[in-house]
Amino acid sequence: MTPKAALKDNTSSTATLLDRVHTPADMRAFDEEQLRQLADELRAETISAVSVTGGHLGAGLGVVELTVAIHAVFNTPDDKLIWDVGHQAYPHKILTGRRDRIRTLRMGGGLSGFTKRAESEFDPFGAAHSSTSISAGLGMAVARDLKGEANNVICVIGDGSISAGMAYEAMNNAGALNSNLIVILNDNDMSIAPPVGAMSKYLTKLVSSKPYIGARETAKRITKILPEPFQKAAKRAEETARSALGHGTLFEEMGFYYIGPVDGHDLDALLPILRNLRDTKHDGPILLHAITKKGKGYAPAESAADKMHGVTKFDVVSGTQEKAKLSAPSYTSVFAKELIKHAKIDDRIIGITAAMPGGTGMDAFDAAFPDRMFDVGIAEQHGVTFAAGLAAEGMKPFCAIYSTFLQRAYDQLVHDVAIQNLPVRFAMDRAGLVGADGCTHAGAFDIAYLGCLPNMMLMASSDETELAHMIATAVAYNEGPCAFRYPRGNGFGTIIPDLATPLAIGKGRIVREGTDIAILSYGTRLHECLAAAETLAGKNISVTVADARFAKPLDTQLVNDLVKNHRALITIEEGSALGFGAIVLQHLANAGKLDGKCQIRTLHLPDIFQDQDKPEKQYDEAGLNAAQIVQSILSLK
């Protein structure tokens, strides 16, 4: 479905109050009963929209009431609302003037699947990687203070995102700066039983109220003039009294005023607390702990193991998702199966991922080797140094991390792995463009950011057979760190051996012999290069196609021969500028090979952050499909 076609069916048939909400200002006169009805309609509209577009569902359903309550109470967009990651923000988008486009989610020219500053004034900070909200919110709060303004800043962060170190760095800073900041912990997985009942609701409202906060601050000031033993006794008594209401010790120690836990689906509880926080002047950050249920209100999501976190198009009544017709296995599944084969033989192989076991295929490895699989949570930095420690003790750690997420651990990659030349193996899924997830998840930069590191060995597979051989190569390689990249999606149906064997390090291969033009491919564009060569053969242009396999060490003999024997050399890669093509050019320049008659061109991803679209359209835009490769070669003089 195109964005234009999606606009024709932009509302669900049952909406009534929701039809009256074009911006959050339209809902602020609603009473609490109307807000509960609005939440029900918003949940139904979210389910209806995602059934058409696919995308993230469970997380958004879990914050419907929270979304309604925040926008009903606070004066957004003047009050800044920051959603951590942003994949749960579909209900937020519906309430903030984007309902007419909600069925263009994740399509080319449509709405982003995450928050995006360029898309709406109600998205003050773009997100798609986790654990950034408190840092960004604190920056906005300090900017507000310096400008002498008085708006609120609200950050909503999940219990998974708050497990990452960056969130704690931000909380530590926020507690020290004592700036007015509201953090809402959306807890849908922690094993904390929320207090229930009328008394619990009353007490939670009480501790968020202006009189209570004022009295507590006054008591603190009075306590400070007491002798030290009395100060300690008073502090213990206050903490003991508050401990009955929640589990805020850690957050309190970091300088936050803790409120909760509270039922994140109970508007009777949420609305008065948020109003108290809005109307009460508080010096320092506040953390409201809300217990929510992922997939709330949609039975198929509530009963699904993953709470329908990420879905394809689905039938609303049954929850049954469309299944793609698979002609070949996914690269992710090939990686998992091949690593398991080797791990059965070599008990030093260890699997590591950072909160993405399903996305990286490491859930399969975990099922086979639970004692040798470690999900470190949203903590890529820790995961890389953890792997370095394993490698230092003779183990063979495989860090399965998306290319774009590995960027978060670059310092550890340099200092803890590369400088020490430790044999950590990096399996980089989602290399190249990734379709609907857009630029935040595209693996565009790993060739460039890894290619500049001493001691690093780099590989890219052209199909699933080559991936199998590269996994075997990584298993056998102990001379230092190595990384291999492979794309999202399915392979080409090539034959995978029972047990793949290692490749010769730094050696590429000729796939098609020709005499006029040479194409040197790094990665899965090889098949587009072969299609281009076939087209050019019909135009009496003879093309050699080579698979580099390695970016580092580069097969310099292969490159030299291609330059020597052809009138032009074209490099192709699914990565940014200053990547594989730059490595080839640097070699040719230093070897004096640019001084001859062979024309050199490098084809790579454009120097932009490409928006979401179907992968084939993204590669058309990048100029890396067969037709564009043909045109690039025909344009040579």
Side-chain angles (χ1 to χ4, degrees):
M1 182 182 289
T2 65
K4 179 178 278 188
L7 290 173
K8 294 179 181 178
D9 177 23
N10 59 23
T11 61
S12 62
S13 58
T14 59
T16 53
L17 285 175
L18 189 56
D19 291 336
R20 293 161 53 184
V21 177
H22 304 288
T23 70
D26 298 325
M27 57 189 280
R28 290 181 187 137
F30 289 178
D31 61 28
E32 295 192 6
E33 182 60 36
Q34 287 176 308
L35 290 175
R36 281 191 287 273
Q37 180 182 336
L38 178 65
D40 292 340
E41 294 178 11
L42 180 60
R43 177 170 280 109
E45 179 73 351
T46 301
I47 294 167
S48 174
V50 181
S51 74
V52 173
T53 65
H56 294 96
L57 180 64
L61 297 182
V63 295
V64 167
E65 287 80 11
L66 201 55
T67 304
V68 168
I70 291 170
H71 280 301
V73 170
F74 290 97
N75 186 33
T76 54
D78 292 335
D79 288 334
K80 308 300 180 184
L81 173 57
I82 304 167
W83 296 95
D84 206 281
V85 182
H87 65 309
Q88 76 281 56
Y90 299 176
H92 159 80
K93 293 194 179 204
I94 292 170
L95 292 179
T96 54
R98 288 169 276 184
R99 186 183 175 204
D100 63 339
R101 293 181 287 154
I102 199 63
R103 285 165 179 75
T104 70
L105 271 169
R106 296 159 53 86
M107 297 180 184
L111 294 177
S112 170
F114 306 95
T115 53
K116 190 173 184 179
R117 279 173 55 84
E119 193 175 282
S120 172
E121 63 178 339
F122 289 93
D123 292 357
F125 199 79
H129 286 195
S130 79
S131 317
T132 63
S133 60
I134 304 176
S135 297
L138 182 59
M140 292 179 185
V142 169
R144 171 204 62 207
D145 297 343
L146 292 173
K147 292 187 290 185
E149 298 172 349
N151 60 288
N152 291 288
V153 179
I154 308 102
C155 309
V156 183
I157 185 168
D159 56 287
S161 293
I162 209 167
S163 70
M166 184 175 177
Y168 289 96
E169 293 172 16
M171 285 192 288
N172 182 56
N173 193 200
L177 289 178
N178 223 31
S179 190
N180 183 341
L181 176 70
I182 298 170
V183 174
I184 299 176
L185 172 57
N186 171 36
D187 180 357
N188 58 30
D189 200 28
M190 286 184 177
S191 55
I192 299 172
V196 295
M199 182 56 72
S200 171
K201 287 182 183 179
Y202 169 75
L203 290 173
T204 306
K205 292 176 190 176
L206 175 65
V207 299
S208 68
S209 68
K210 185 174 184 178
Y212 186 96
I213 293 175
R216 187 170 185 257
E217 294 304 315
T218 300
K220 281 184 177 181
R221 288 194 292 271
I222 293 172
T223 301
K224 286 180 180 178
I225 67 175
L226 297 174
E228 187 172 339
F230 291 98
Q231 291 184 29
K232 291 181 178 178
K235 184 173 186 291
R236 282 197 300 272
E238 200 270 346
E239 287 176 347
T240 300
R242 284 178 48 73
S243 67
L245 303 176
H247 304 258
T249 302
L250 171 63
F251 303 112
E252 293 275 0
E253 289 298 327
M254 298 189 78
F256 277 73
Y257 182 83
Y258 175 87
I259 300 169
V262 61
D263 184 346
H265 301 294
D266 185 351
L267 285 170
D268 289 339
L270 285 174
L271 290 167
I273 292 171
L274 292 176
R275 288 174 186 139
N276 283 338
L277 297 186
R278 178 196 64 194
D279 298 336
T280 302
K281 185 182 185 303
H282 47 94
D283 294 324
I286 287 179
L287 186 134
L288 173 61
H289 186 172
I291 304 295
T292 62
K293 186 175 183 180
K294 197 171 184 178
K296 172 72 173 178
Y298 183 49
E302 290 185 6
S303 61
D306 67 346
K307 307 303 179 187
M308 293 182 74
H309 173 77
V311 296
T312 59
K313 298 176 183 179
F314 62 93
D315 175 69
V316 173
V317 175
S318 66
T320 302
Q321 298 181 46
E322 286 187 5
K323 291 185 178 180
K325 296 179 181 178
L326 302 180
S327 57
S330 70
Y331 284 97
T332 301
S333 66
V334 170
F335 163 69
K337 290 176 182 177
E338 291 302 304
L339 190 62
I340 289 169
K341 288 181 186 178
H342 290 281
K344 289 178 179 177
I345 300 169
D346 190 339
D347 62 8
R348 293 174 297 168
I349 292 174
I350 306 293
I352 300 169
T353 190
M356 295 296 292
T360 59
M362 295 306 281
D363 52 349
F365 189 89
D366 183 42
F369 304 102
D371 294 336
R372 290 155 59 187
M373 170 60 202
F374 299 90
D375 183 348
V376 299
I378 303 175
E380 291 87 355
Q381 293 172 301
H382 159 65
V384 169
T385 303
F386 171 61
L390 284 163
E393 290 300 305
M395 306 305 282
K396 294 184 174 182
F398 277 75
C399 276
I401 301 177
Y402 291 2
S403 166
T404 182
F405 293 167
L406 188 58
Q407 294 163 185
R408 308 190 79 168
Y410 192 63
D411 181 71
Q412 288 69 28
L413 220 156
V414 175
H415 282 265
D416 300 334
V417 176
I419 288 178
Q420 300 189 95
N421 201 32
L422 290 169
V424 176
R425 290 87 171 160
F426 295 97
M428 298 181 297
D429 205 321
R430 272 52 170 188
L433 301 174
V434 293
D437 281 334
C439 62
T440 57
H441 285 58
F445 307 112
D446 60 86
I447 308 171
Y449 73 66
L450 294 178
C452 62
L453 297 182
N455 297 329
M456 186 66 67
M457 187 264 277
L458 300 181
M459 300 177 281
S461 57
S462 56
D463 56 38
E464 55 267 52
T465 305
E466 285 291 296
L467 176 58
H469 286 297
M470 288 177 183
I471 294 166
T473 306
V475 169
Y477 188 75
N478 290 302
E479 285 68 34
C482 67
F484 51 97
R485 70 190 324 253
Y486 47 97
R488 179 180 190 174
N490 302 323
F492 297 92
T494 60
I495 296 173
I496 300 174
D498 291 336
L499 188 64
T501 54
L503 302 171
I505 301 299
K507 293 298 179 184
R509 59 179 179 142
I510 300 291
V511 181
R512 177 184 175 124
E513 294 275 6
T515 56
D516 296 326
I517 307 292
I519 302 177
L520 179 59
S521 174
Y522 184 63
T524 57
R525 290 293 98 189
L526 178 69
H527 296 261
E528 294 296 317
C529 296
L530 289 169
E534 192 65 32
T535 299
L536 290 164
K539 300 178 183 295
N540 295 318
I541 299 175
S542 177
V543 178
T544 293
V545 178
D547 180 7
R549 286 177 163 167
F550 295 84
K552 194 172 185 181
L554 181 67
D555 189 341
T556 55
Q557 186 59 57
L558 173 63
V559 173
N560 292 346
D561 289 345
L562 293 176
V563 169
K564 178 181 177 181
N565 298 322
H566 301 82
R567 65 180 177 86
L569 170 64
I570 312 294
T571 66
I572 308 266
E573 62 192 295
E574 297 156 303
S576 68
L578 304 179
F580 177 69
I583 292 171
V584 172
L585 285 172
Q586 180 172 297
H587 159 69
L588 292 172
N590 292 337
K593 302 295 184 180
L594 293 181
D595 306 334
K597 296 180 180 179
C598 183
Q599 299 180 71
I600 313 292
R601 299 290 185 273
T602 62
L603 299 184
H604 46 73
L605 296 180
D607 191 25
I608 60 172
F609 291 106
Q610 287 180 256
D611 285 331
Q612 74 274 2
D613 209 330
K614 292 182 178 179
E616 58 270 24
K617 290 187 178 180
Q618 288 183 312
Y619 280 111
D620 271 339
E621 180 184 8
L624 295 178
N625 282 334
Q628 291 87 22
I629 296 170
V630 168
Q631 290 304 312
S632 295
I633 290 174
L634 292 177
S635 69
L636 295 172
K637 296 179 180 179

